[in-house]
Amino acid sequence: MGSLDGKVAIVTGASRGLGKDIAMSLAREGASVVIAARTFDEGESKIAGSLAHTQQLIQDAGGTVSAVRCDVSNEDDIAAAVKHTIDTFGRIDILVNNAGILIPGTAMELQARHWALIFRVNVNGPFAFCRAVIPHLKEVGGGHIINISSRGAIFPGPGPYTEVS
C-alpha cells in the first residue's frame, strides 16, 4: 500500500522531464494519475518524450494512469482534462502544474508573440488549471496544488547591477 492510495492526481507537462518523474512517483505511491501534455506520441515534437511513453512506464511499473492531450494555454483543453479525470477516476485530489516553456533570447531578440506565448503557458495556464480544479478539491474536502517554476522566476537579488551593453 502506498501513501497515496485512493488519491487522484493530474500532472501537466508529463510527457518528459520533471513532469514525467513526478507522475511516476505519484503512481508509485498509489495515486491514480492523469498525465497531460501537448505531445501524445513520439515524433510530434522535436524534443524526445511523449505521454504514450510516460503512460507505458507507469503501467509497466504497475501504476494506474490515463493520458490526455492538453495545451495549458487553452482553457477548453484544461476543462476537457479535468472532465476526463472526473469521468475516469471520479475525483481530483492533487494538481501538479508543471507544464512550461522557455524560448531563449534577450528582451531585444524575443518576438512579442513568443513573450505572449510564454506568459499564456507559464502564468495563465497554471492559474486557469487551478480555477478549473479548485471546485473539485472543495467537493472532496481539500487537496493539494503544486506549482512548479524555473530558476527564471528567482529574483536576482539586491543590486547594484552592471549595465548590459
Side-chain angles (χ1 to χ4, degrees), residues 4-5 7 11 13 19 26 40 46 49 54 56 70 76 84 87 105 113 127 129 133 135 141 143 145-146 149 155:
L4 296 176
D5 286 351
K7 302 296 183 187
V11 180
L26 290 168
F40 199 92
K46 293 177 185 177
T54 302
Q56 191 63 56
C70 180
D76 290 337
H84 173 85
D87 290 348
R113 68 185 177 92
F127 173 75
F129 231 120
V133 165
I145 297 176
I146 302 160
S149 72
F155 183 69

Side-chain angles (χ1 to χ4, degrees), residues 5 8 14 18 26 30 33 35 47 50 68 74 79 81-82 89 101 103 112 117 122 148 150 158 165:
D5 286 351
V8 176
L18 186 59
L26 290 168
V33 183
I35 54 174
I47 305 168
S50 68
V68 61
N74 182 315
V82 169
F89 296 118
I101 61 168
I103 300 172
L117 177 62
N122 296 357
I148 308 294
S150 71
S165 57

